[in-house]
Amino acid sequence: SPRRGRLSLTMAPTQVDSTKLAAAASSEGAASSSAGAAPDDEPPDLPFDMFSMRKPKNLIAGASSGLKSALKGVVGGTVGLIAAPIVGAQTQGVGGFFTGLVTGILGAVALPVAGAAVGCLQVTRGAINTVEEVVESNKGKDWDQEKREWYEYNLQTDAQLASQLDDEAGGGAGGGGRRRR
């Protein structure tokens, strides 16, 4: 299953499976596919993550994410344009070459367009989130990198919670309850 916060592209495998070569050639997984029926022994879908859709903290993070997405689209399209005809020729000869060429051309157009669209979206989201960053950081909140959200950290509240948990755990004999002073 795709990771949360990522734009996942799903493609059906085909007789000319240029997606495997393109994905191997590019760690970002270039998307290209071709017409044809999938053999019964292969999985029905090949999901992969290419463009990050995680919430950017601010404009700088959004611009960084947007630039990466645009670059991934261009690289993915280029890899597919080169790899699809090669794989097609290796697996199906001359007919496979032309099928792969068409597939590669489609990917060379679609992936940069998708990368640019995601890039624009991430820059816009980053600009919007910059306002939120100013407001939340002025309230004393911190940014959680994993959850991609602002949270309030209060040392006194955490100390009280830890003390309560310690009291509950230390109720039995030999337990490490509260220390006596």
Side-chain angles (χ1 to χ4, degrees):
S1 69
R3 289 179 287 176
R4 185 176 178 180
R6 305 286 282 192
L7 178 61
S8 183
L9 303 175
T10 305
M11 303 176 316
T14 61
Q15 290 176 355
V16 181
D17 197 355
S18 59
T19 58
K20 290 181 182 175
L21 179 61
S26 169
S27 64
E28 303 304 330
S32 58
S33 63
S34 59
D40 290 337
D41 60 337
E42 290 190 37
D45 292 321
L46 297 173
F48 67 95
D49 298 330
M50 187 168 182
F51 303 112
S52 174
M53 294 297 293
R54 296 180 344 149
K55 178 181 178 180
K57 178 181 178 181
N58 54 28
L59 180 59
I60 294 170
S64 173
S65 176
L67 184 61
K68 288 179 204 174
S69 292
L71 186 60
K72 288 176 187 180
V74 170
V75 170
T78 303
V79 168
L81 181 62
I82 295 167
I86 293 170
V87 171
Q90 289 176 341
T91 58
Q92 293 183 332
V94 176
F97 172 81
F98 288 109
T99 302
L101 185 61
V102 170
T103 300
I105 291 170
L106 291 174
V109 172
L111 286 174
V113 169
V118 170
C120 289
L121 174 68
Q122 287 296 85
V123 170
T124 302
R125 290 174 71 197
I128 292 168
N129 292 344
T130 299
V131 176
E132 181 184 21
E133 176 189 30
V134 170
V135 170
E136 297 299 328
S137 63
N138 283 336
K139 290 180 182 177
K141 293 185 177 181
D142 292 315
W143 178 253
D144 186 329
Q145 279 294 110
E146 289 184 26
K147 293 181 181 177
R148 313 300 291 174
E149 63 187 19
W150 292 95
Y151 69 96
E152 187 171 346
Y153 178 74
N154 186 326
L155 185 58
Q156 291 177 345
T157 303
D158 283 352
Q160 289 173 351
L161 180 62
S163 177
Q164 289 173 357
L165 291 173
D166 193 33
D167 287 345
E168 291 172 8
R178 281 190 136 172
R179 294 182 189 160
R180 297 184 187 196
R181 294 182 182 167

